[in-house]
Amino acid sequence: MLASMAYTVSRWSVQYDGKSDHGPMPDQGQHGFHALHRLYETADGWLFVYVPDRDVGRFAELLDVAIVDDDRFADESSRRRHDTELVATIGDALGERSADEWEELLVGAGLGCVRADGIDH
């Protein structure tokens, strides 16, 4: 397990002078890389969402938010430029239901999503 994890995070853990590509970095709160690849707080816990750009329309429809009709979120580059606003828009919608409800709905629609809390140790 340690070897697998070391390989997975090697892009960030191996540092040296002159290294130019650190790859994508998580946001300051360590919730994810951008609005469509991050953790969100729901009504009762946390949910990890990964939505490829090709699935944004379906995701928006399921959340009942006007993402694709909003010029700030109309395409991938616009979404990246307005990431903070998109995080807020998605976060507001996901806050309306439980993590389990969202997981069932989104996974049932073929979108990447998983409840990210509630592990009983």
Side-chain angles (χ1 to χ4, degrees):
M1 286 176 24
L2 288 173
S4 295
M5 187 56 153
Y7 177 75
T8 301
V9 299
S10 63
R11 163 180 258 160
W12 297 281
S13 59
V14 176
Q15 303 295 322
Y16 52 86
D17 287 339
K19 182 176 179 184
S20 61
D21 178 46
H22 296 284
M25 297 297 287
D27 64 21
Q28 270 193 319
Q30 303 262 328
H31 292 104
F33 296 111
H34 55 78
L36 299 172
H37 186 279
R38 75 185 312 272
L39 289 165
Y40 284 97
E41 194 166 7
T42 66
D44 72 341
W46 290 90
L47 190 74
F48 178 79
V49 173
Y50 171 66
V51 180
D53 285 300
R54 69 178 180 269
D55 293 328
V56 169
R58 284 191 310 128
F59 180 62
E61 186 177 308
L62 292 167
L63 266 59
D64 195 24
V65 293
I67 293 175
V68 293
D69 298 329
D70 187 322
D71 288 342
R72 296 172 302 166
F73 314 134
D75 59 46
E76 183 179 357
S77 63
S78 297
R79 287 190 287 275
R80 296 298 188 270
R81 280 194 312 275
H82 299 281
D83 191 64
T84 302
E85 296 103 310
L86 185 54
V87 166
T89 299
I90 293 170
D92 288 347
L94 292 175
E96 297 293 318
R97 294 188 188 180
S98 73
D100 289 337
E101 289 176 279
W102 284 118
E103 182 180 31
E104 183 178 340
L105 178 67
L106 296 173
V107 169
L111 297 173
C113 164
V114 66
R115 184 169 187 142
D117 64 1
I119 297 170
D120 185 12
H121 293 284

